Amino acid sequence: GAVVSQHPSWVICKSGTSVKIECRSLDFQATTMFWYRQFPKQSLMLMATSNEGSKATYEQGVEKDKFLINHASLTLSTLTVTSAHPEDSSFYICSVPLYEQYFGPGTRLTVT
Amino acid sequence: AQKVTQAQTEISVVEKEDVTLDCVYETRDTTYYLFWYKQPPSGELVFLIRRNSFDEQNEISGRYSWNFQKSTSSFNFTITASQVVDSAVYFCALVYNQGGKLIFGQGTELSVKP
């Protein structure tokens, strides 16, 4: 069964609105979770490291004020895309870095 | 710096052909882990294999096999007798410590035609 879940699986929002994506570790407690972004026909790029109980660590070039990450508990991390724009349309995937690096099923965001 | 290169962007084969997907990596670490994932059109990443840097044994799992060669920094993936269901994007990835963030290659899109 699934080890990591994401919600929603897809979302369409209007430009300027905010969208929250949840990532849940179902079988493990996770002090760390990773958020990746994947544009069409491209590879996965790490956006940020979500740390339970402390601030997220962002990769170079990722706007921390735009992509808000909250690691509320050992099983839940959320990514909020604030003031979304069409260029934020992408596939967002979270992972729990255990043996297999368990990935969530992904969230497809479309900003119109 | 760590880097993973998958030089083949797209490969197209006919069903039942064997196909090899290449993966070359760069790292200065002596301990690291290599992965292969399959990404079907649904987008979900499917774990295929994890190999640590100290285990150079080749592995076979059904129609899948992996050839790990530290001397050439390669971790190639072969599908024997390919099937249409094998059509997907395949990613090779590297991490230098267990629990760390993955560095992905560019991916190889495999198309298996009937």
Side-chain angles (χ1 to χ4, degrees):
Chain A
V3 176
V4 180
S5 70
Q6 275 185 247
H7 179 80
S9 56
W10 60 270
V11 58
I12 301 173
C13 71
K14 291 184 184 253
S15 187
T17 61
S18 295
V19 174
K20 180 185 284 188
I21 302 170
E22 292 185 348
C23 175
R24 291 184 185 275
S25 177
L26 301 178
D27 293 337
F28 304 97
Q29 293 186 326
T31 56
T32 299
M33 294 185 186
F34 295 119
W35 285 96
Y36 296 84
R37 179 169 55 182
Q38 184 181 30
F39 291 108
K41 298 288 188 180
Q42 293 188 25
S43 185
L44 286 83
M45 295 297 293
L46 181 70
M47 296 176 65
T49 303
S50 176
N51 304 300
E52 192 269 337
S54 64
K55 291 183 180 179
T57 306
Y58 291 82
E59 296 299 301
Q60 193 171 11
V62 177
E63 300 174 57
K64 62 179 68 176
D65 294 331
K66 181 172 184 60
F67 297 100
L68 301 180
I69 291 174
N70 181 25
H71 201 130
S73 72
L74 288 171
T75 58
L76 174 64
S77 174
T78 60
L79 168 67
T80 301
V81 183
T82 62
S83 187
H85 290 286
E87 56 265 31
D88 299 322
S89 297
S90 187
F91 192 56
Y92 294 86
I93 310 175
C94 66
S95 78
V96 173
L98 297 173
Y99 180 82
E100 291 183 8
Q101 295 266 345
Y102 296 100
F103 284 87
T107 297
R108 199 165 300 278
L109 169 64
T110 302
V111 185
T112 61
Chain B
Q2 298 182 327
K3 185 179 179 182
V4 177
T5 301
Q6 294 178 253
Q8 306 149 307
T9 306
E10 296 179 6
I11 299 176
S12 182
V13 299
V14 177
E15 205 170 21
K16 297 185 182 176
E17 284 185 20
D18 298 347
V19 58
T20 295
L21 282 61
D22 297 333
C23 173
V24 174
Y25 63 92
E26 295 176 29
T27 181
R28 293 181 180 176
D29 300 290
T30 55
T31 302
Y32 51 90
Y33 302 84
L34 294 163
F35 295 76
W36 274 96
Y37 290 90
K38 174 182 180 180
Q39 188 178 43
S42 64
E44 186 162 359
L45 286 170
V46 178
F47 169 82
L48 296 178
I49 191 170
R50 173 189 188 258
R51 174 68 75 220
N52 75 57
S53 54
F54 298 107
D55 182 2
E56 285 192 76
Q57 273 194 326
N58 292 331
E59 176 144 346
I60 297 175
S61 176
R63 296 184 297 106
Y64 295 169
S65 63
W66 290 269
N67 185 313
F68 178 27
Q69 292 196 346
K70 288 178 73 171
S71 60
T72 56
S73 296
S74 65
F75 187 42
N76 296 336
F77 171 35
T78 297
I79 301 175
T80 303
S82 59
Q83 299 176 2
V84 173
V85 293
D86 295 327
S87 297
V89 180
Y90 291 85
F91 289 99
C92 179
L94 166 74
V95 65
Y96 67 89
N97 67 325
Q98 191 164 319
K101 52 192 179 185
L102 286 173
I103 307 297
F104 283 88
Q106 300 91 320
T108 297
E109 183 172 5
L110 174 64
S111 176
V112 182
K113 301 189 186 307

